[in-house]
Amino acid sequence: MLTSEYWSTLQRHRLLVDRQMSTFERLFNNFFTSSNNNNQVVNNSNNSPARNPDLPILKRKSLSSSGSEDTIDNIEPEQVVDQQSSPHRRKRNKHYYQPIELHNNLLSNPLVYFTNKKEQITSLFSLGSVAKVLSGYLPNNPLPLIFDSKNQQDDQQQQQSSPPLSRSNNNTNNNNNPYTTPIKRHHHKRHNRENKKPIFKNTFKPTIIDHNNTNNRNNQHHNHQHQQQFQQQQTRESDRLYYSDSINNYYYKHQEQQQQQQPTLPIPTNTIDQSILNSFKSYQQNTMSVNNNNNNNDGDDDDSQQQPVELNDQMKQSSVYKPKSGQSFVDILKKEQQSKEFKESIDQLVESYTESLTLNEDLFSKSLPPPRQQNYLSTSLNNNQTSLNGSQYKPSPRKSISNLSTLQQQPEQSIDRFNSQIGSSHYNPLSIDDLSSSYSSISKSSHSNSDKNNNGLYKSSNLISSLKPINREIESIGDNELFTSKVIEEKKQTRDEEINQLLSKLQAMSGTSSYKILKQIEERREKEKRMKPTARELNDDEQQLYSKIISTTKRGDDKVVCEFDETIKLTGNDVITLKPGGWLNDEVINYYLELLKKRQVDCPDETLKCHFFNTFFYALMTNNKGGYQYQRVRRWTSKVDIFSLDKVVMPIHLGAHWCLAVVNLKEKRFEYYDSLGGDNYTCLGHLKQWLTDEMVDKKKEGVINLSQFTMHIPKDIPHQLNGFDCGVFTCKFADLSSRGLPLNFTQKDITLFRKLMVVECYYKKLSN
Amino acid sequence: MSTKEEPGVPQEKKEEEQINLRVANSDGSEVYFKIKKTTPLKKLCDAFCQRQGINPNSVRFLFEGQRINPDRTPKDYNMENEDQLDCAIEQQGGSF
C-alpha cells in the first residue's frame, strides 16, 4: 500500500535533490514563476469575498470535535497559494492553522524554506539519485491513472463550471448506499488515511488529475462568484440532485471520489488509526449539528444524478457546510493543487536540468544513501511536517534499501503523530491518547477496523470491487524484494556497461601504437621480474671473508689482497675503497673488468660477446681530456677484432666520476650510462670517431655503417643517491650490460654489491 | 733499435739489444728511453717517475692497453724499438 506513496515521495525527493546547489536558485526562480502563475489563477477566483464570515465560526464548531478533520488538514502539506493572495484566509489560517502555515512556507516561499534547510537538501542529493534509480524500476509507475486527463481539458475550457464526472458518479453511489451513516465512519477513517496517499500520488505524475478540480473546489468553497455559477447549475439540475445528509454524504463522497480517482492508491486496511475512529464519532456529531443549520439540504438521495449531484452538493454545502467540509475539502484540494504545482514546476526544472540528473546517477552506483534520510525526506516533502516534526521525528537509521517496508510505514506514522499533535494543541484533544499510542497499537486498531469493514458494515460492492484490484496491484508494486532485486539488477547492469565500455576501449586501442607500447612495457616488466636482482646476501663464509678482509686492510696498505694475475692485483689500499662510502679507484674497476672478461671465457653462453677496455682507454685516447688521439690506443685492439663483437665496454673516468660507455655493435648505438644522469655526447662522439678510425686502421671499412648508429643515453637507469657509489654503479652497469640484462638494481643494493665485489675479487670469480 | 737497454738511464751505450721506448704520460708528452730487452721495466718506470716527479704508486704503465708488470722485461712483452708505453695516472672517483 505504502509503496505508491513511497514512490511518490521518492519521486519528489529525486526532483528536489537532483537540483543541485549550483542550479538551486535558478530552479527556484522557475518554481516561483510557475507557482505565481497558479497563484494568479487562484487569486482571480479568490478576489471575490466568497468567504462568509460565518465560515470561521462554523469551522470552529466543526473542528472542535472532529479530530479526523484535523488529521486531514494536517496532511495537507501546503496551504496553496490562497494564503498569499487572500489576507482573509491567511487570517483564518493564522488562527486555526498556525502550525500548518509554518509548513506552508515550503510552497509559499520555497526559496527561503530551502535555503534554511540547505543542509537537508544537500544531504538529499544522494537520496534523490537513489529515488531516481528506484523510480526507474517501478514496473507500473505508481502514478495515478490518468482519469482526469479528459476532464481536465474540458475543465480548462469550462473551468469551475462543470465538475468532473467521476466525482459525481461517486457521489451517486454513496447516496444510494442505505448504510451511509454507519459506513461513513469506516469510510471516513479509511479515507482519512488514504487521502494522504492519493494526494502524494498526484505529485508523482504530470498526468494531472486535479488541477482544474482543485481550482473548482477551491472556487466552490472560496469564491463567491463561482458559487453563484454553481447555484445556477444547481437550479437547472436541481431535479436530480440530492441528498439529505448533505454534510456526511458530501464528505463521504469526496473521499470516495478521491479513492476512485486514484485507484492505484493503497488502501490502508491495516493502518487505520484508532484515533481517527474516535475523532470521527465526534465529527459525526458535529456534522449533525451543522446539518441542522443548513437550509439548502433537500432530503433526496438520488444516486443516479452524477455531475449535478456533486455540484449541488458542493454548492449547498459551500454555504453552510464550508467550514467543515471546506476544511477537509479545501485541504485536499490544496494538497492536490499544491502537489500538482510542485510536480509541474519540478518536472519542468528537471527536464531542463537533466544533465545534473545524469550526474547524480553515478552517486547511486557508488553507494546507497542511508534510508534514514529518505524517511526524513519523505515526511518532510509529503507532509511538510519536517519543520514541526523534524526535531521530534527522527527515524532510526536504516542500512539498506531492503528495509524499505519499514521506511514506507514510518512517514504515515509520523503523519498521524503530527496530526494528532496539532489537533491536540489546537482543537479538541480527543485523540491524544491515540497519539501517544505506539505504532503497534495503530496496526492493531487497523486490524480491527479492517475486520469491521469485512463484516459488511460497509457494503458498497462498487467500492470493494474497485479496491481489490488496487490492492493486488499495489501488492505487486510494493513488494520490497522486488524493489531490492531491481535495484541490484540495475547496479549490475551499470557495472556491466562500464566494463563493456572499458573492454571496447581496450579493443579500440589494440590496433594503435600506444597499445603496442603498453604491450612492450608489460613484456619488459615481466622480463624484469624474471631477472631477479643481482644483489644477494652474503652467506656465512662470504660474510666472514668480507669482514676479515675489511678488518685487516687499511688505507695505504701495499699488501696485495687479491691477485688476479701478475699485473692485475688489488692491494689493501684498493680493497679498502670497496668499503661502503669509499671511492673506487681504477685498480678495483679494472680488476672487476678482468673478472668480467674471465666470465666471458668461462660462461660464454650467459654473456654477450664483449670486449672490456680498462679505465685508461678513454683517458689515453682523449689524452686525458686533451683531445682525441687515436694513435695512443691504436694498438689496444691489436689482438681483438671488435667488429665481431656485440659490445665494447669501457669505463669512463671523468675526473672524480665513473661512468660506463658501451659501443653496442649489435644494436648499433653508442650507449652511455651515468649513475648521476649526466650526458656526455662528447664521449660518444669520440667513440664514434674511434670506431671510424678503427675500421680504417684495421682495414675493415664498410664493415659497419656508422650512419645507422645512434646515441643512446638512457635516463631510466639506477641512479646513485650519494657521492661515492658511482664506481659500483659503473661496475654493475658493465656487468649487466655485458649480459644483456636490464639494470634492475637500486641504490639499496649497492652495499651488497660492494661486499659481493670484495668476495668476488678475492675468489676471482663472479658469483653470478 | 733492437738493442737492449738497461732501465734507468736512456741512451746507455750497450750492445745491440738496446731498444728505444717512448713513455707517454697522460697529457701526451713523451719521454724516450733506451733500454735493454732483458732489463726489467721497473727501472724504466722508476726513471720516468723520478724525472716526472711523481709517485710510482700513483701511475700505471700500460703497453698496448695492458698493465705491465715492472718485473718483466721488454722481451717478455715483445717490445720493439720505438714502441710506446703509456703512463696513466691513478683514477679514483665517486662522483663529481
Side-chain angles (χ1 to χ4, degrees):
Chain A
M1 297 175 44
L2 297 177
T3 55
S4 62
E5 179 181 358
Y6 180 75
W7 285 119
S8 65
T9 58
L10 286 180
Q11 282 282 354
R12 271 195 191 176
H13 297 173
R14 174 189 69 137
L15 297 176
L16 286 177
V17 169
D18 289 341
R19 291 174 290 171
Q20 294 181 349
M21 294 304 294
S22 61
T23 61
F24 193 76
E25 290 183 357
R26 280 192 297 168
L27 294 177
F28 267 98
N29 289 332
N30 293 332
F31 179 79
F32 267 123
T33 55
S34 62
S35 64
N36 288 332
N37 293 333
N38 291 330
N39 288 335
Q40 289 177 354
V41 176
V42 177
N43 289 335
N44 292 332
S45 61
N46 287 334
N47 287 335
S48 62
R51 216 160 290 279
N52 294 331
D54 300 339
L55 294 178
I57 298 169
L58 292 174
K59 193 170 191 179
R60 183 182 292 175
K61 288 180 182 178
S62 63
L63 291 174
S64 61
S65 59
S66 65
S68 63
E69 289 288 341
D70 295 343
T71 58
I72 293 172
D73 291 340
N74 293 331
I75 291 165
E76 296 219 345
E78 297 90 6
Q79 247 341 23
V80 190
V81 193
D82 291 344
Q83 282 187 349
Q84 293 178 350
S85 61
S86 66
H88 187 70
R89 167 146 192 174
R90 181 178 294 177
K91 229 184 213 172
R92 193 194 67 174
N93 287 335
K94 248 185 193 174
H95 188 64
Y96 293 97
Y97 294 94
Q98 195 165 1
I100 296 172
E101 261 191 347
L102 292 177
H103 293 295
N104 290 336
N105 289 334
L106 176 61
L107 283 184
S108 63
N109 197 359
L111 182 59
V112 174
Y113 177 81
F114 281 102
T115 50
N116 289 336
K117 304 238 166 189
K118 262 184 181 178
E119 294 180 356
Q120 290 182 356
I121 292 168
T122 52
S123 66
L124 292 179
F125 283 113
S126 58
L127 288 177
S129 62
V130 173
K132 186 169 139 189
V133 174
L134 290 175
S135 65
Y137 290 113
L138 279 180
N140 312 328
N141 260 341
L143 296 179
L145 301 181
I146 306 173
F147 297 100
D148 295 338
S149 60
K150 294 179 180 177
N151 290 334
Q152 188 178 7
Q153 294 175 353
D154 296 339
D155 290 339
Q156 288 175 352
Q157 294 174 353
Q158 313 170 350
Q159 262 200 355
Q160 300 170 350
S161 63
S162 65
L165 295 174
S166 62
R167 189 187 287 180
S168 63
N169 289 329
N170 291 332
N171 289 333
T172 56
N173 290 333
N174 291 332
N175 290 333
N176 287 332
N177 193 351
Y179 295 94
T180 341
T181 33
I183 294 164
K184 284 176 188 175
R185 289 181 185 173
H186 302 288
H187 251 304
H188 183 68
K189 299 172 187 176
R190 226 183 184 185
H191 290 294
N192 281 336
R193 287 196 74 80
E194 292 175 357
N195 284 336
K196 306 167 186 178
K197 299 158 188 175
I199 289 163
F200 296 129
K201 271 196 174 180
N202 287 338
T203 61
F204 232 128
K205 279 271 165 162
T207 50
I208 319 152
I209 299 181
D210 287 337
H211 183 68
N212 293 326
N213 290 335
T214 54
N215 288 332
N216 289 332
R217 292 174 187 174
N218 288 330
N219 291 331
Q220 287 174 0
H221 292 290
H222 303 290
N223 284 343
H224 191 67
Q225 294 175 351
H226 292 289
Q227 283 182 354
Q228 289 177 352
Q229 292 177 353
F230 290 129
Q231 284 177 356
Q232 290 176 355
Q233 279 190 350
Q234 183 184 3
T235 53
R236 286 181 302 185
E237 298 173 351
S238 61
D239 299 339
R240 312 170 176 178
L241 316 178
Y242 226 70
Y243 63 113
S244 59
D245 192 355
S246 63
I247 295 171
N248 290 333
N249 283 336
Y250 179 77
Y251 188 77
Y252 178 80
K253 288 176 185 176
H254 173 73
Q255 288 179 347
E256 193 164 9
Q257 281 181 352
Q258 290 280 335
Q259 203 174 7
Q260 288 189 354
Q261 284 178 351
Q262 298 166 350
T264 57
L265 293 179
I267 296 172
T269 56
N270 295 331
T271 58
I272 296 172
D273 193 347
Q274 188 64 33
S275 63
I276 297 171
L277 183 66
N278 294 333
S279 63
F280 183 77
K281 290 177 182 177
S282 61
Y283 167 79
Q284 270 191 337
Q285 293 175 355
N286 280 331
T287 55
M288 292 301 291
S289 63
V290 172
N291 284 333
N292 292 332
N293 292 332
N294 289 336
N295 296 329
N296 294 331
N297 290 336
D298 298 340
D300 280 349
D301 288 341
D302 282 349
D303 307 333
S304 61
Q305 306 303 332
Q306 305 191 345
Q307 289 183 351
V309 169
E310 184 181 16
L311 288 174
N312 290 329
D313 291 342
Q314 289 178 352
M315 291 177 63
K316 289 175 184 177
Q317 292 170 355
S318 65
S319 61
V320 177
Y321 205 56
K322 267 183 184 177
K324 178 159 208 168
S325 64
Q327 193 177 9
S328 61
F329 247 103
V330 168
D331 291 341
I332 295 167
L333 295 175
K334 285 185 223 165
K335 215 184 201 177
E336 293 174 352
Q337 187 177 2
Q338 171 266 325
S339 62
K340 188 183 179 183
E341 293 173 357
F342 196 74
K343 171 193 64 184
E344 289 178 352
S345 62
I346 287 175
D347 286 340
Q348 292 176 355
L349 296 176
V350 168
E351 289 178 355
S352 64
Y353 296 99
T354 51
E355 295 179 354
S356 61
L357 294 178
T358 55
L359 290 177
N360 282 333
E361 287 182 354
D362 296 336
L363 295 177
F364 175 74
S365 63
K366 287 179 181 175
S367 65
L368 293 176
R372 169 176 180 258
Q373 289 183 346
Q374 286 183 351
N375 253 344
Y376 188 74
L377 286 177
S378 63
T379 55
S380 65
L381 292 175
N382 289 332
N383 305 327
N384 285 333
Q385 293 178 353
T386 48
S387 60
L388 292 177
N389 269 349
S391 60
Q392 297 174 351
Y393 173 66
K394 289 184 178 178
S396 60
R398 304 277 188 265
K399 288 183 180 178
S400 66
I401 289 181
S402 62
N403 291 328
L404 285 176
S405 61
T406 56
L407 294 177
Q408 292 168 354
Q409 292 176 354
Q410 288 210 357
E412 241 189 359
Q413 185 179 358
S414 67
I415 292 168
D416 292 338
R417 196 183 300 166
F418 177 77
N419 292 333
S420 62
Q421 288 174 355
I422 292 173
S424 62
S425 62
H426 291 278
Y427 308 114
N428 193 356
L430 288 176
S431 58
I432 286 176
D433 296 336
D434 298 332
L435 300 177
S436 62
S437 64
S438 64
Y439 190 70
S440 61
S441 66
I442 292 171
S443 64
K444 288 178 182 177
S445 63
S446 67
H447 258 298
S448 62
N449 287 329
S450 63
D451 291 337
K452 287 180 183 177
N453 287 331
N454 291 333
N455 288 334
L457 290 176
Y458 174 75
K459 293 182 179 179
S460 167
S461 61
N462 291 332
L463 181 62
I464 292 171
S465 61
S466 64
L467 292 178
K468 283 182 178 178
I470 294 166
N471 279 332
R472 291 169 190 168
E473 222 180 3
I474 291 163
E475 285 177 355
S476 64
I477 294 170
D479 191 5
N480 292 329
E481 293 179 356
L482 186 65
F483 290 159
T484 55
S485 64
K486 287 193 174 181
V487 172
I488 293 170
E489 285 180 0
E490 179 66 10
K491 266 187 149 186
K492 286 180 179 177
Q493 286 180 355
T494 55
R495 286 178 184 171
D496 292 341
E497 288 177 357
E498 291 178 355
I499 292 171
N500 289 330
Q501 288 179 355
L502 290 175
L503 287 176
S504 62
K505 285 181 180 177
L506 282 177
Q507 289 178 353
M509 282 180 62
S510 61
T512 62
S513 60
S514 59
Y515 180 76
K516 292 178 182 176
I517 292 172
L518 288 176
K519 224 175 177 182
Q520 288 179 355
I521 291 172
E522 195 65 20
E523 291 175 354
R524 185 176 168 185
R525 284 178 180 168
E526 289 180 358
K527 191 177 179 182
E528 288 179 356
K529 280 184 181 177
R530 203 172 59 243
M531 301 297 180
K532 291 187 178 180
T534 54
R536 63 172 179 83
E537 292 290 343
L538 299 176
N539 57 35
D540 294 339
D541 294 339
E542 289 171 346
Q543 186 64 40
Q544 287 179 0
L545 177 66
Y546 170 77
S547 57
K548 180 184 175 183
I549 291 172
I550 295 299
S551 62
T552 57
T553 57
K554 59 184 179 181
R555 188 171 293 277
D557 190 356
D558 291 337
K559 179 187 172 185
V560 174
V561 179
C562 306
E563 184 175 3
F564 185 77
D565 57 20
E566 60 181 8
T567 59
I568 306 299
K569 48 184 88 168
L570 294 179
T571 63
N573 188 37
D574 300 328
V575 172
I576 208 68
T577 62
L578 285 172
K579 259 178 83 173
W583 285 25
L584 270 63
N585 64 5
D586 55 331
E587 299 282 4
V588 176
I589 292 176
N590 289 327
Y591 192 97
Y592 194 77
L593 292 175
E594 293 298 325
L595 296 179
L596 294 177
K597 288 180 185 176
K598 181 170 179 285
R599 187 178 62 185
Q600 289 256 305
V601 178
D602 296 340
C603 308
D605 296 337
E606 296 180 1
T607 61
L608 302 172
K609 289 186 288 183
C610 297
H611 179 72
F612 299 90
F613 287 125
N614 61 23
T615 59
F616 307 110
F617 172 80
Y618 182 74
L620 294 177
M621 183 177 72
T622 58
N623 267 335
N624 203 15
K625 304 175 190 173
Y628 175 75
Q629 194 172 8
Y630 173 73
Q631 286 298 322
R632 296 199 69 173
V633 295
R634 182 178 65 84
R635 297 182 67 178
W636 285 53
T637 55
S638 58
K639 300 175 183 175
V640 181
D641 181 11
I642 62 168
F643 301 106
S644 62
L645 301 177
D646 295 327
K647 285 182 179 178
V648 179
V649 180
M650 66 197 79
I652 306 296
H653 184 249
L654 301 173
H657 184 54
W658 290 109
C659 298
L660 187 77
V662 176
V663 178
N664 194 335
L665 299 166
K666 189 176 182 181
E667 300 181 15
K668 297 186 177 182
R669 64 187 184 186
F670 299 99
E671 299 170 354
Y672 187 81
Y673 300 93
D674 187 347
S675 59
L676 287 175
D679 295 334
N680 195 347
Y681 289 100
T682 305
C683 171
L684 297 183
H686 288 323
L687 290 179
K688 188 173 183 179
Q689 185 62 41
W690 167 77
L691 198 58
T692 306
D693 294 338
E694 187 72 13
M695 286 193 294
V696 174
D697 185 69
K698 301 296 184 290
K699 297 182 179 178
K700 292 189 175 181
E701 296 91 339
V703 173
I704 293 172
N705 186 2
L706 280 177
S707 63
Q708 295 176 350
F709 276 62
T710 59
M711 307 288 189
H712 181 61
I713 303 179
K715 300 299 182 185
D716 58 342
I717 60 174
H719 283 188
Q720 68 179 107
L721 304 177
N722 50 44
F724 43 81
D725 280 336
C726 65
V728 184
F729 274 89
T730 300
C731 291
K732 295 310 293 183
F733 290 156
D735 176 19
L736 298 174
S737 177
S738 66
R739 290 190 285 173
L741 298 181
L743 306 177
N744 60 345
F745 63 92
T746 63
Q747 175 69 58
K748 296 176 185 176
D749 304 324
I750 296 302
T751 303
L752 279 177
F753 283 147
R754 283 176 178 270
K755 293 179 181 179
L756 269 177
M757 285 175 72
V758 173
V759 176
E760 289 167 353
C761 291
Y762 184 81
Y763 289 121
K764 294 184 274 189
K765 184 179 181 182
L766 296 175
S767 61
N768 51 5
Chain B
M1 303 299 285
S2 63
T3 57
K4 192 185 285 185
E5 292 185 355
E6 290 294 333
V9 182
Q11 295 183 357
E12 188 175 358
K13 215 187 276 182
K14 283 288 178 176
E15 305 95 14
E16 303 164 351
E17 295 155 350
Q18 282 186 338
I19 57 172
N20 287 330
L21 293 180
R22 292 180 299 165
V23 179
N25 64 9
S26 57
D27 59 1
S29 62
E30 296 179 354
V31 178
Y32 282 88
F33 291 95
K34 268 191 184 175
I35 188 173
K36 292 181 181 175
K37 281 192 175 178
T38 56
T39 304
L41 293 172
K42 184 175 173 50
K43 282 189 177 181
L44 185 146
C45 295
D46 290 340
F48 180 81
C49 291
Q50 186 176 2
R51 191 179 261 209
Q52 298 290 324
I54 55 177
N55 183 359
N57 291 330
S58 65
V59 295
R60 290 85 166 92
F61 291 93
L62 306 171
F63 178 71
E64 294 182 349
Q66 301 294 322
R67 292 284 293 275
I68 61 171
N69 185 355
D71 298 331
R72 295 277 182 166
T73 63
K75 190 178 182 179
D76 297 331
Y77 291 106
N78 294 324
M79 290 180 183
E80 296 177 355
N81 195 19
E82 296 296 328
D83 279 351
Q84 179 178 314
L85 295 180
D86 293 313
C87 176
I89 58 173
E90 182 187 24
Q91 295 169 324
Q92 192 167 19
S95 80
F96 288 113

